[in-house]
Amino acid sequence: MTTPSEPSVGSEPSVGSERSTGPERSVGSAPSIRSSRAELLARTDLVGPELRAALTAMFDSWLAEILPPAPGIALLAVGGLGRREPTPYGDLDLVLLHDGKTADLASVADSVWYPIWDAGVGLDHSVRTAQQAVAVAADDLKALLGMLDARHIAGDPALTGLVREQVISRWRRTAPAKIAELQELARSRWRSRGDASFLLEPDLKDCRGGLRDWVGLRALASAQVLDLTPSMQQASAVLLDVRGELHRLAGRSADVLRAQDRDSVAEALGLAGPDEVLRAVNEAARTLAYATDAAWRRVAASRPAPRSLLGRLRPGASAAARSPDPAARTPLAKDVVAQGGEVVLARDADPWADPVLTLRVARAAASADLPVSAYALTRLATEAAPMPEPWPAAAREEFVTLLGAGPRAVPALEALDQHGLLSRLLPEWEQVRFKAQHNPVHLFTVDRHLIETAVRASALAAEVARPDLLLVGALLHDIGKGYPGDHSVVGAELAERMAARMGFSAADTAVIAGLARHHLLLPDTATRRDLDDPSTVQIVVSAIGGSAELLELLHYLTIADAEATGPAAWSDWKASLVGQLVRAAGAVLDGGSLPPPQPPSEAVLALARRGGAEVMIEGSDVLVLAPDAAGLLSRASGLLALHSLDVQAADVRTVRGMAVNRFTVSPRFGELPDPTLLNADLRRILAGTLPLDDRLRAKERAYRHAGEVSQPPPRLLWFDDEATDATVLEVRARDAIGLLHWLTAALESAGVDIRSARISSLGSFVVDAFYLTDADGKPLSESHQERVESALIEALAS
């Protein structure tokens, strides 16, 4: 966007090089447009199309007023205002056309641009002759897309008409040749922004299925490649409605639907709640994304298919089947063929007589990496027979093979879902379609997360003895999130029913149900329990009923689930903990025993013999050694917080009278600090010359977001039978700078010994598990637990 200090008028550098105030009435209208916009936005009855119409009329009238009445000029709106889709705080995209004969063009341009800048309205602008405007559109696809929406605002309408006629005519002639460039523009956006159909915080403008794709569809319609259907127009209206309210809410340009904004947007648009806003956006984006893909395929089908596309057909296809002839039909499966770059039904296919045909079509499409034609999907949706229950073995095999296709299964499953075929096969699926997630580590809606998990599981299928159970279990592991109650418990019941319907044996059905019931068992136990404690392994062995098969499948489901959740859900540290737990449980199942805890290294023993306070770094572990004394753990954890180190696990031992506190950490910023700095601060903390509490409070205030809402109170959960000779306390709370310091300080003040700790981060939340004993090394009594709770609540409240 051009700033007031850098006026620009297209290709004429001498024009507008100095500020000109222009006619007095133009500059004086800047305050009025600000107040007019404020008045419109204050009206709660103006939302959606009505708000856009009012903004369009306001800007049109104002711009027509500030354009001087000079001959041979015209003011065009392009972009959002050109489409009559302005947002409250979006930029104005304007083109000042002239016939090359206008006197004092710089003064005319300044008369338009400076009132806009003075009003605080964003502006993208250019000054061009009609010939220049057409030439720029011919060379620059982005400029062309804007000019296709050009709309006359004021001045000479003949200039506007000339430009529009030539731009549209040229676009219709050249559109097929520019489709590849249009596709690459879109795909570049998608790679960085993702898919608005499934994201929990989608960018309404730049995501796949966003408003830029709506502009692309309009361009293809202008080229007479497709017709804009009512469903496309309704989808774009949903995105525009939500985007308008985001602007109004933020008081500035805003394109990302954040979780914290959904309530306000829902209230403004009269929707039932925040989840309904997200669902409406996801559904609208899926409609536009699907229409975009279909349009591109239509353009591609109108030209000879490239050999690289046909070469992706099954390896056994004949040379004739790989012919670029779009009329050629290549067999892919029974009653399924490839034609014109799409998967279609054979001429004599009978969907009513072949209930497995739907799955066979989807599997063939995934295997050949080709889309299913819209006509074939419509036929299947209207003519296919219901699937028998239980499913025939052929149907189950097609379904498992489809899931095993990895990323190529995604468009095939999307196609089934878009036409209601997936919910027909799996009725329970309907409850998770576009279902919002409320855990901050998740990126996707529930339905897309399940598909992504199956995709990730397909890459791990060779690691397990029963890949079919892993793939189906991955698809169904969170199916309970669409229903009331604990999603693992409810999901196990649903998965059992669905697996039985698919025709799995009773034993296999129990395993699939077990995957849904226990899909969080390994990551939760590994990150919240002491892996050196025999009770920890026994928790896992008992939960899985001693099944080595279920343990193996849970291990790889855990990996697939975490990778499909988002980057915050998986790390090398978590992977190592889960792997350690699986190996320990496997050893017990094989009749072996747990390996003994790893002894301290020689370097640690040497430091312990020497005495004194010392910090050392081993890999991602920070060890703090000091003479054993009350309060050491809280001060050591405070030291780490002061240096922006997030603690993931803590182990407390005593060696030769020295406390050896081992912390597994990750730097919040950059790399691990210099041990020299850590040692210097540790000595100051122990000597009482560094005001640790004050420094941590100041650090927390510096990181706290302005206007941050009050946080829910922490939850304290006690587990009396999940540790050997200790009591486990879980503290579930929102993370904060120095939180572990405050917690351990409160525990120490309550007279408990902290044997070990596990700190698990889940986005902005943590689950801290402490293994506690009293002064005699025994588990805590009920009265002692009450004293601990009081100390923790008081510490966290202050």
Side-chain angles (χ1 to χ4, degrees):
M1 188 179 74
T2 310
T3 63
S5 60
E6 299 174 334
S8 169
V9 283
S11 60
E12 302 172 31
S14 63
V15 178
S17 58
E18 296 182 2
R19 177 169 179 169
S20 170
T21 58
E24 183 178 346
R25 66 185 179 87
S26 298
V27 176
S29 63
S32 67
I33 195 65
R34 286 196 296 268
S35 61
S36 296
R37 180 174 62 182
E39 290 173 6
L40 289 180
L41 296 180
R43 290 181 53 183
T44 57
D45 62 313
L46 280 181
V47 296
E50 293 79 11
L51 176 61
R52 293 192 289 279
L55 288 170
T56 298
M58 178 193 74
F59 282 124
D60 283 3
S61 175
W62 180 54
L63 293 171
E65 175 190 351
I66 63 177
L67 181 70
I73 62 172
L75 186 62
L76 276 69
V78 298
L81 185 59
R83 296 188 296 275
R84 292 186 170 86
E85 297 172 351
T87 50
Y89 294 99
D91 291 354
L92 296 181
D93 296 334
L94 302 174
V95 178
L96 182 61
L97 290 177
H98 63 96
D99 60 5
K101 304 174 184 178
T102 304
D104 197 9
L105 184 60
S107 177
V108 172
D110 286 350
S111 297
V112 179
W113 308 148
Y114 277 98
I116 298 173
W117 286 322
D118 291 340
V121 177
L123 175 65
D124 281 338
H125 66 289
S126 61
V127 178
R128 296 188 174 108
T129 64
Q131 292 77 12
Q132 289 170 340
V134 173
V136 168
D139 294 335
D140 186 334
L141 182 58
K142 290 183 179 179
L144 170 66
L145 294 175
M147 290 300 294
L148 289 174
D149 294 319
R151 184 169 60 83
H152 184 72
I153 298 294
D156 184 355
L159 278 176
T160 302
L162 176 64
V163 168
R164 278 187 50 81
E165 179 183 359
Q166 292 190 19
V167 167
I168 293 175
S169 175
R170 181 186 292 268
W171 169 238
R172 287 176 177 170
R173 292 196 309 272
T174 62
K178 288 184 176 290
I179 289 298
E181 184 181 355
L182 183 61
Q183 286 177 311
E184 183 49 39
L185 279 177
R187 286 171 177 153
S188 177
R189 280 188 289 103
W190 298 350
R191 284 191 290 269
S192 62
R193 297 294 186 176
D195 193 332
S197 306
F198 308 104
L199 286 174
L200 298 177
E201 293 193 338
D203 185 320
L204 305 180
K205 187 176 180 181
D206 287 333
C207 273
R208 180 174 185 257
L211 289 166
R212 286 201 189 277
D213 286 340
W214 166 238
V215 173
L217 288 169
R218 288 175 59 97
L220 294 175
S222 181
Q224 299 177 331
V225 172
L226 58 79
D227 295 323
L228 296 178
T229 66
S231 64
M232 298 180 205
Q233 294 167 337
Q234 291 164 7
S236 69
V238 168
L239 300 184
L240 289 166
D241 291 354
V242 173
R243 188 179 180 219
E245 293 310 312
L246 287 177
H247 277 229
R248 183 174 359 215
L249 180 64
R252 58 177 174 77
S253 180
D255 296 324
V256 178
L257 178 61
R258 304 289 183 192
Q260 61 265 29
D261 296 330
R262 290 187 216 142
D263 271 311
S264 299
V265 173
E267 182 178 357
L269 297 178
L271 296 175
D275 287 0
E276 287 304 309
V277 173
L278 181 62
R279 183 184 181 95
V281 166
N282 292 150
E283 286 191 287
R286 188 177 295 189
T287 297
L288 295 180
Y290 197 80
T292 299
D293 291 344
W296 286 348
R297 291 201 302 271
R298 183 179 304 176
V299 173
S302 67
R303 306 192 306 271
R307 292 185 179 275
S308 60
L309 174 66
L310 292 169
R312 289 201 300 265
L313 297 177
R314 60 181 182 147
S318 65
R322 298 176 186 273
S323 166
D325 180 6
R329 297 169 70 86
T330 302
L332 299 177
K334 179 186 175 184
D335 291 335
V336 184
V337 299
Q339 181 181 21
E342 295 181 315
V343 173
V344 301
L345 300 182
R347 292 186 177 91
D348 57 352
D350 185 354
W352 182 256
D354 186 358
V356 183
L357 182 59
T358 296
L359 285 174
R360 199 158 58 246
V361 166
R363 189 270 304 159
S367 298
D369 197 14
L370 291 174
V372 184
S373 76
Y375 179 66
L377 289 164
T378 300
R379 280 198 65 192
L380 292 171
T382 56
E383 300 176 27
M387 183 70 74
E389 296 184 13
W391 291 8
R396 188 169 62 255
E397 290 169 6
E398 295 285 2
F399 188 57
V400 170
T401 305
L402 169 61
L403 296 180
R408 293 180 299 176
V410 174
L413 289 167
E414 281 185 13
L416 296 185
D417 184 69
Q418 187 73 7
H419 287 76
L421 292 164
L422 192 54
S423 293
R424 188 181 300 178
L425 291 166
L426 308 172
E428 296 83 357
W429 189 261
E430 188 63 30
Q431 296 301 312
V432 297
R433 291 185 76 239
F434 303 108
K435 184 73 174 178
Q437 306 257 24
H438 299 286
N439 188 315
V441 300
H442 275 280
L443 294 179
F444 301 115
T445 53
V446 176
D447 54 344
R448 183 52 179 259
H449 171 68
L450 293 174
I451 290 175
E452 288 290 331
T453 305
V455 168
R456 302 284 182 159
S458 70
L460 303 169
E463 304 295 330
V464 299
R466 290 295 303 274
D468 56 336
L469 302 185
L470 176 63
L471 292 169
V472 174
L475 186 72
L476 303 184
H477 77 279
D478 268 348
I479 196 69
K481 286 186 174 179
Y483 299 81
D486 183 327
H487 82 278
S488 296
V489 176
V490 176
E493 298 172 358
L494 294 170
E496 183 176 24
R497 185 172 73 202
M498 297 170 76
R501 187 190 307 131
M502 292 178 194
F504 284 99
S505 68
D508 290 346
T509 294
V511 171
I512 292 172
L515 290 172
R517 178 65 184 91
H518 299 299
H519 69 276
L520 297 176
L521 175 66
L522 296 181
D524 284 358
T525 304
T527 57
R528 301 178 189 179
R529 294 295 181 266
D530 184 352
L531 299 186
D532 291 330
D533 188 332
S535 296
T536 299
V537 175
Q538 194 55 49
I539 291 171
V540 172
V541 172
S542 298
I544 63 176
S547 170
E549 179 184 47
L550 184 55
L551 177 65
E552 178 187 61
L553 291 168
L554 282 172
H555 183 196
Y556 290 101
L557 174 58
T558 297
I559 298 172
D561 185 16
E563 290 179 342
T565 295
W570 198 239
S571 64
D572 291 342
W573 171 74
K574 289 184 179 179
S576 67
L577 291 181
V578 170
Q580 181 182 345
L581 177 60
V582 169
R583 288 190 297 273
V588 171
L589 291 174
D590 289 339
S593 59
L594 291 177
Q598 187 174 359
S601 66
E602 283 300 322
V604 172
L605 291 174
L607 287 174
R609 286 192 293 268
R610 192 169 64 196
E614 189 79 30
V615 178
M616 65 179 295
I617 295 178
E618 290 184 348
S620 60
D621 288 357
V622 175
L623 284 80
V624 180
L625 292 83
D628 198 10
L632 179 62
L633 180 58
S634 63
R635 284 180 281 182
S637 58
L639 167 71
L640 301 181
L642 200 59
H643 287 268
S644 299
L645 295 175
D646 292 332
V647 178
Q648 298 170 325
D651 180 72
V652 182
R653 297 187 189 185
T654 301
V655 179
R656 298 180 182 272
M658 293 282 290
V660 180
N661 295 338
R662 177 182 291 270
F663 301 91
T664 302
V665 302
S666 61
R668 184 164 292 201
F669 312 106
E671 300 178 351
L672 290 170
D674 188 333
T676 303
L677 297 177
L678 293 173
N679 274 296
D681 281 348
L682 174 63
R683 294 185 181 99
R684 292 174 60 202
I685 291 171
L686 295 178
T689 59
L690 191 156
L692 180 59
D693 288 5
D694 292 342
R695 291 277 298 275
L696 288 175
R697 289 192 183 97
K699 193 176 183 74
E700 169 65 14
R701 285 194 298 271
Y703 283 96
R704 187 179 297 129
H705 297 295
E708 189 175 78
V709 298
S710 60
Q711 306 300 343
R715 292 189 63 198
L716 307 178
L717 302 175
W718 294 96
F719 300 88
D720 296 319
D721 55 357
E722 293 196 2
T724 303
D725 299 327
T727 302
V728 178
L729 168 64
E730 278 192 7
V731 181
R732 302 180 181 181
R734 188 175 289 272
D735 200 6
I737 299 292
L739 177 63
L740 182 59
H741 166 74
W742 304 117
L743 293 176
T744 52
L747 291 171
E748 290 162 351
S749 71
V752 301
D753 284 339
I754 304 172
R755 192 175 76 188
S756 64
R758 289 287 184 188
I759 286 74
S760 177
S761 298
L762 300 169
S764 59
F765 291 87
V766 295
V767 179
D768 292 354
F770 300 96
Y771 282 66
L772 307 176
T773 64
D774 61 18
D776 297 325
K778 297 179 179 179
L780 302 188
S781 65
E782 187 174 337
S783 60
H784 202 163
Q785 292 178 18
E786 292 174 356
R787 293 201 303 275
V788 169
E789 284 198 19
S790 298
L792 286 171
I793 291 172
E794 181 180 353
L796 292 170
S798 63

